[in-house]
Structure formats: structure tokens, C-alpha cells
Amino acid sequence: MKILDQILSQSAYSHEIDVPLAQVDIADWLFNLPEAEYQRCCVPDHIAVGATTTDAGQRMSINVEMIGTALMIQHYVAEEATPSYVRMNSISDAFTSNGRTQVNVLWELIAEDAGNGRTRYTNRVTARPTDAFMAFIDAHGIAFAVAAAARQAAGSDHNRRETPLFAESIARRAKGQTP
């Protein structure tokens, strides 16, 4: 099996907000997210956030957070960024008790009409191993299945906790409310 076909973890959680889809702009929210608001969206895991661009001018979000016991530096590059769908891809640095490695993280932020003037926000995160990750777990004698199970548990827990808070933050921005 090719590395890109392997999945370390995958989770998707949804939360409905009391805002019509036409008022939601996920891309605007993400690239203008104040650091303190980001931190409130998953206490104590969220540490820092910032928006920047690649050398080629693509929008980026740099997220610093704890996923389980790993300190993650996410270098998310926007592959698609619309009001209702944002697809971010990152070769993320993971600092663990065994040292530093990298994983590929795909983050999808999705808004859909939930009817009755409401929007369903879905936060989908998929992590895949990189060559560096595979070499790292091999060097430390960690089976892929063990690493994947640990990442699945930690990543799913983190996503479950941050999704409703992200959704409510998106709703506040859509309503013109300050955090």
C-alpha cells in the first residue's frame, strides 16, 4: 500500500448554527480569525494562529495546537477557499516525546443549508503519514497500527471538542458580533 493511501486518522463532526447559509463565509472567518478567539475554540489545546501567504501568494493559516500529547505546527495552505467550503492542506510538524516528525493533514471546513434559516457546519480532518513519519515510527519500533490508533483517538477527541466552538464562532462573525 502506498503511503498516500494510508490514513493515520480521520474524523468529521457537525454542528448546526442559527444563521442562514447565505450569511456564512468560512474563508473570511478563517483568514481573519483573532488569536484569542482561536484559543477559545479548543481550550487548552489551541495555542496560536496566524494568517499569511506562501511565496506563490496562496493563503495560509498557521495553527499551533496540541493533538493529544503531540505539539502540532500546522502549515495549512488553501487549496480552495469559498464562503461555504474551505480545503486546507498541511505538511505539519509533530513534536512528540520521541522527537519531531511530520504528517500530512487535510482540513475541510464545510457549510451546508440545514433548513429553516440554519446552517450545518462540518469540520473534517484527515491525517496521512509522510515518508518522514514512516521512517520515524520505524526508527522507534512503533507499528503503524499502534500509531494510527493513538492518532485516531487524539485527533477525534480534539475535533469533537473544537467543532461546535468553531461553528458558534463562525455564527458570531456572520451576525457581525465581535468575539
Side-chain angles (χ1 to χ4, degrees), residues 6 10 59 64 72 76 86 88 99 119 121 145 158 168-169 176:
Q6 293 181 307
Q10 189 169 44
R59 292 189 286 182
V64 180
M72 301 294 298
Y76 286 115
V86 175
M88 306 292 284
T119 298
Y121 170 73
H158 179 86
E168 294 300 332
S169 179

Side-chain angles (χ1 to χ4, degrees), residues 66-144:
M66 293 296 296
I67 304 291
T69 59
L71 175 65
M72 301 294 298
I73 313 297
Q74 317 273 20
H75 309 267
Y76 286 115
V77 176
E79 294 181 339
E80 185 174 342
T82 71
S84 63
Y85 180 74
V86 175
R87 178 184 169 104
M88 306 292 284
N89 202 334
S90 173
I91 299 300
S92 299
D93 295 300
F95 295 85
T96 74
S97 59
N98 287 326
R100 179 180 178 180
T101 189
Q102 292 183 319
V103 295
N104 177 221
V105 182
L106 176 65
W107 180 24
E108 294 173 281
L109 302 84
I110 306 156
E112 301 169 297
D113 187 351
N116 298 318
R118 296 177 61 80
T119 298
R120 179 180 310 100
Y121 170 73
T122 301
N123 202 58
R124 181 181 303 143
V125 181
T126 304
R128 289 186 167 84
T130 61
D131 289 338
F133 180 84
M134 296 304 280
F136 178 84
I137 62 172
D138 186 52
H140 290 90
I142 302 168
F144 181 80

Side-chain angles (χ1 to χ4, degrees), residues 155-171:
S156 186
D157 173 66
H158 179 86
N159 192 8
R160 176 189 56 78
R161 291 182 292 117
E162 77 183 355
T163 297
L165 298 171
F166 277 164
E168 294 300 332
S169 179
I170 291 164

Side-chain angles (χ1 to χ4, degrees), residues 26 29 37 45 55 80-81 90 114 117 142 146 148 156 165 175 177:
I26 296 173
W29 169 80
E37 179 71 354
D45 296 359
D55 285 346
E80 185 174 342
S90 173
I142 302 168
V146 171
S156 186
L165 298 171
K175 293 175 181 177
Q177 299 170 346

